[in-house]
Amino acid sequence: MKTQRWAIALVLFFTLLTSAAQIMYKLAAQRLEFSLIGLLTNWPLIVGAILYVVSAILMIISLRGGELSVLYPLIALSYVWVSLVSPRIFPNDSMNTLKWVGIVFIIAGVGFIGGGSQK
């Protein structure tokens, strides 16, 4: 089965949603109250959960369009998006040389897996 371009695009889109959900969870953790009302009024927690559900649905749809061994590794790009965005939102997060090297390895790995799938 050849992986369709729309499936790759959909995976890339839902990795952005997943990354946004992770950032929402970090925001939710900063205002977390362990009570039912506290959890129900923690809007970043609710938004993060909704984004994860939407991402899961999009992932299921995208898997119809290609090989699991090609599409699933693309999810690792969510680590890249979070690493690039979080220092701009959270002052205590920063990028250093090792993180940049990790990003390069993730992108290279995703590229190798995608290139290796072509017959």
Side-chain angles (χ1 to χ4, degrees), residues 25-114:
Y25 280 170
K26 172 70 174 178
L27 291 170
Q30 292 175 343
R31 40 185 304 177
L32 189 61
E33 294 179 28
F34 290 106
S35 68
L36 183 59
I37 298 299
L39 292 174
L40 294 176
T41 59
N42 191 334
W43 67 268
L45 180 64
I46 295 166
V47 170
I50 291 169
L51 289 173
Y52 265 122
V53 168
V54 171
S55 294
I57 292 167
L58 294 177
M59 180 175 74
I60 293 166
I61 293 168
S62 70
L63 292 177
R64 295 187 65 179
E67 301 173 50
L68 180 63
S69 63
V70 174
L71 294 173
Y72 200 78
L74 290 173
I75 296 171
L77 292 175
S78 66
Y79 298 119
V80 173
W81 312 141
V82 169
S83 294
L84 294 176
V85 172
S86 65
R88 287 158 180 70
I89 297 173
F90 306 106
N92 293 336
D93 286 6
S94 64
M95 289 297 292
N96 59 34
T97 304
L98 285 177
K99 289 180 183 178
W100 283 110
V101 170
I103 286 173
V104 168
F105 278 122
I106 290 170
I107 293 171
V110 168
F112 286 141
I113 290 172

